[in-house]
Amino acid sequence: MKGSDSVISETTLVPLSPKDAACFRDVCRAAGYTQTKLHETFEFLVPPPSDRLPPALLASLGPCESPFDVLARLFFLGVPVDADVAGTLLPTAIVQSCLQSGLVSQDESKLCPAATLVPVDDLLFAADLQRTDYLDNDLFVPTLCDAALHLNAVAIHNRGGKTLDLCSGFALHGITASGRSESVVASDLNPRAAEFARFNAALNGCENVRAVTGDLFSAVAGERFDTILANPPFIISPSAVTTYRYSPFELDGFIKIMFAAVPEHLEEGGTFQTICEWVELEGQDWQDRLRSWFAGSGCDVWVLSANRQFPSTYARSVLSQSIDDESELSTQQQQWEQYLRQRGVAAIQGGFIFLRRRRGNNWFDFTELTKPVREPIGDAIAQGFASRDIVFGSDGDDRLLSSRLAVADGLRQVETSHWKDFRWKRDSIVLHLDKGLPVTIGIDGYIRTLIEQFDASRNVQQCLDLFSKEIGLPIETGRKKGLDVVRSMLKNGILVAMPK
């Protein structure tokens, strides 16, 4: 372990009483200590490393003049604040709660943060200070990161039942789900993660959260859940140097082991949702490779690929998060590239993988995300499962042909044309779905005409017949060609099934 170990291991938070927790939340809310205001003020969605704060940011910090200033500097930026100033701007009881709980310590005239405390929606979450010299410490409990935010954005909001937050860290996903779950278990290999999970459950008034310690599913052996959310260690590297960031097995072996264990911990109809990375191997179709992982699992599987990087780009992107020296960065990058090249890695993909336990003939599907996920789309993911049940149903096309579909809310069309020979000539038609699953696809005039038929008043067969008549195709030809388009539009969310 590194020299920062003693600092991390001594950071133990004492959960607040219900009264003090409610008071703390009220003060943060009144101060405007929110995701939105933090982003507007600092242009960061997640806390930056406090030992690598941009010089321009440090130079821009004026005197603390509001409760927001105090909270943001202590718990988002991780910098000390004058104790007298904090005492003037914050209620005395809140300062005392911070000291007694261990969120801050007092060093002469300064209040020094001992943890981050970040808002997510209406909740607050404590974790270790964000410092680059903590990153490779196996006791480190990291604060909010992009991967956690992305998984939170795509999470299906199942109501009721039991929820498992696997590889939970500070329990973002479990506590977020606690209000709609009968019970929640937060499980992590790091014992300090359980301490933060208990603190955060108390801070947010969540009484149905149980924090446990164990590797993968070992702490919940024999238990089944209706919802499992997992943000596992998935970064692919030559060696596993942490328990929260890097995959502890070669390449993507860890997530393969995780997926193999999922079905026995899901209730019928239960969902598993994760963000992760996997490799493309030279000469092997990556979809076929992933499909083989889930053969015979008893689960439907939906893979959403969000990014693809070549080994050189991937290595530099990961290493630059903790290495400033260009010479060291270059040396490490070469070692990573050699490791990946020797194992036949052509590229590394990242995204989301969803499983749903279901009896019957299970399906496997893939979607490439063409735009970043910016807003919560859990309802669209749930709708995507329902749409695929229609497309891949065991009753062939009968269910699809009898379904009533409508164009999704938030669909936008962009058409470009150029002037030639005294008239406009169309160059392209592009559809953008701005609500739900982010989609951008190019279509032609025929497909646009087909989409226009779907207003939920007719079933698919009737819409295809109207389309065929409108463009002058034989009915059977129109049905055959149009059905392929309908399947695609239903899967990507352009069309949605209406309740019967």
Side-chain angles (χ1 to χ4, degrees):
M1 292 186 179
K2 295 187 177 182
S4 59
D5 293 350
S6 60
V7 176
I8 288 181
S9 63
E10 290 171 2
T11 303
T12 301
L13 300 184
V14 178
L16 297 176
S17 69
K19 179 181 178 181
D20 289 344
C23 182
F24 195 100
R25 296 194 302 271
D26 289 343
V27 168
C28 289
R29 193 177 298 114
Y33 188 59
T34 64
Q35 283 178 292
T36 301
K37 189 168 182 180
L38 286 169
H39 186 239
E40 290 174 351
T41 304
F42 302 114
E43 299 183 352
F44 297 113
L45 283 173
V46 300
S50 58
D51 56 338
R52 294 177 68 183
L53 292 177
L57 173 60
L58 291 172
S60 69
L61 294 178
C64 281
E65 298 178 340
S66 69
F68 172 83
D69 291 343
V70 176
L71 294 170
R73 294 184 195 202
L74 284 172
F75 299 126
F76 191 75
L77 299 181
V79 297
V81 170
D82 183 273
D84 290 338
V85 172
T88 300
L89 294 172
L90 294 178
T92 301
I94 294 303
V95 175
Q96 289 302 312
S97 291
C98 288
L99 289 165
Q100 292 169 6
S101 66
L103 284 171
V104 301
S105 62
Q106 186 156 0
D107 181 11
E108 296 181 351
S109 63
K110 298 286 186 182
L111 288 185
C112 301
T116 56
L117 187 70
V118 295
V120 177
D121 298 325
D122 294 328
L123 303 170
L124 294 166
F125 294 94
D128 274 321
L129 287 174
Q130 181 81 330
R131 293 181 55 89
T132 55
D133 56 345
Y134 289 178
L135 293 182
D136 294 338
N137 185 304
D138 59 7
L139 291 174
F140 179 51
V141 179
T143 185
L144 193 66
C145 65
D146 288 334
L149 282 175
H150 291 153
L151 180 58
N152 194 48
V154 304
I156 299 173
H157 295 163
N158 295 324
R159 293 206 165 270
K162 298 171 60 179
T163 294
L164 172 63
D165 185 351
L166 187 68
C167 305
S168 60
F170 62 86
L172 167 68
H173 307 296
I175 290 173
T176 299
S178 66
R180 55 181 180 268
S181 303
E182 293 175 8
S183 63
V184 173
V185 178
S187 179
D188 197 285
L189 179 62
N190 184 350
R192 292 187 67 252
E195 296 175 8
F196 277 106
R198 295 185 188 105
F199 180 88
N200 289 328
L203 178 60
N204 292 288
C206 303
E207 299 180 354
N208 60 342
V209 177
R210 172 167 60 100
V212 298
T213 301
D215 187 16
L216 279 178
F217 294 96
S218 64
V220 291
E223 296 188 57
R224 289 182 181 271
F225 299 88
D226 301 282
T227 302
I228 303 176
L229 296 150
N231 182 9
F234 55 71
I235 293 178
I236 296 159
S237 73
S239 61
V241 294
T242 74
T243 59
Y244 86 94
R245 209 159 60 120
Y246 293 98
S247 172
F249 291 82
E250 184 156 284
L251 299 181
D252 48 21
F254 180 73
I255 63 166
K256 181 180 179 181
I257 291 171
M258 177 183 70
F259 286 128
V262 166
E264 66 182 278
H265 293 282
L266 280 178
E267 297 282 8
E268 179 68 14
T271 58
F272 174 88
Q273 306 161 63
T274 190
I275 184 169
C276 60
E277 292 177 340
W278 58 92
V279 298
E280 287 183 37
L281 298 178
E282 296 282 0
Q284 184 176 1
D285 183 278
W286 71 265
Q287 292 188 42
D288 289 342
R289 180 171 179 265
L290 286 191
R291 186 181 284 108
S292 70
W293 289 4
F294 303 104
S297 67
C299 293
D300 300 313
V301 181
W302 187 10
V303 179
L304 281 77
S305 176
N307 56 74
R308 181 178 185 271
Q309 298 182 73
F310 292 117
S312 58
T313 307
Y314 179 81
R316 189 171 188 86
S317 174
V318 174
L319 291 167
S320 62
Q321 296 175 22
S322 56
I323 300 177
D324 288 321
D325 182 76
E326 182 60 36
S327 177
E328 182 184 356
L329 178 59
S330 178
T331 299
Q332 291 279 350
Q333 180 179 339
Q334 291 177 17
Q335 292 175 359
W336 279 42
E337 288 183 52
Q338 182 180 19
Y339 166 80
L340 295 169
R341 186 169 54 250
Q342 288 174 344
R343 284 151 184 81
V345 175
I348 298 93
Q349 292 215 34
F352 310 97
I353 299 182
F354 304 95
L355 280 69
R356 180 188 59 184
R357 185 177 175 121
R358 182 178 63 86
R359 297 185 186 92
N361 296 322
N362 297 117
W363 48 260
F364 178 98
D365 198 30
F366 157 78
T367 298
E368 182 179 0
L369 294 177
T370 55
K371 293 190 290 187
V373 175
R374 302 294 189 192
E375 301 293 336
I377 62 168
D379 290 344
I381 298 298
Q383 178 65 55
F385 268 91
S387 296
R388 281 159 180 77
D389 287 341
I390 297 173
V391 171
F392 298 115
S394 58
D395 49 1
D397 293 331
D398 291 345
R399 183 180 176 188
L400 177 56
L401 288 169
S402 65
S403 297
R404 295 180 183 272
L405 309 182
V407 176
D409 290 338
L411 185 64
R412 177 167 52 91
Q413 172 189 282
V414 176
E415 181 175 342
T416 59
S417 305
H418 68 277
W419 186 259
K420 186 176 181 181
D421 297 332
F422 307 104
R423 63 190 180 94
W424 290 108
K425 291 192 174 183
R426 181 188 301 139
D427 295 316
S428 65
I429 305 172
V430 179
L431 297 181
H432 301 270
L433 191 56
D434 296 328
K435 291 184 179 179
L437 197 66
V439 170
T440 298
I441 58 171
I443 63 170
D444 59 25
Y446 293 110
I447 294 178
R448 179 169 64 182
T449 300
L450 174 58
I451 292 173
E452 290 170 350
Q453 309 306 314
F454 293 96
D455 61 1
S457 67
R458 298 175 289 267
N459 64 32
V460 170
Q461 181 169 311
Q462 293 168 330
C463 290
L464 292 176
D465 292 351
L466 283 173
F467 165 71
S468 301
K469 292 178 182 178
E470 187 163 336
I471 66 172
L473 277 178
I475 295 296
E476 290 304 317
T477 302
R479 287 182 184 175
K480 182 178 180 181
K481 291 186 176 182
L483 204 54
D484 288 338
V485 175
V486 172
R487 290 191 191 96
S488 176
M489 295 295 166
L490 194 55
K491 288 200 299 178
N492 63 31
I494 300 295
L495 295 175
V496 295
M498 306 304 293
K500 292 186 177 181

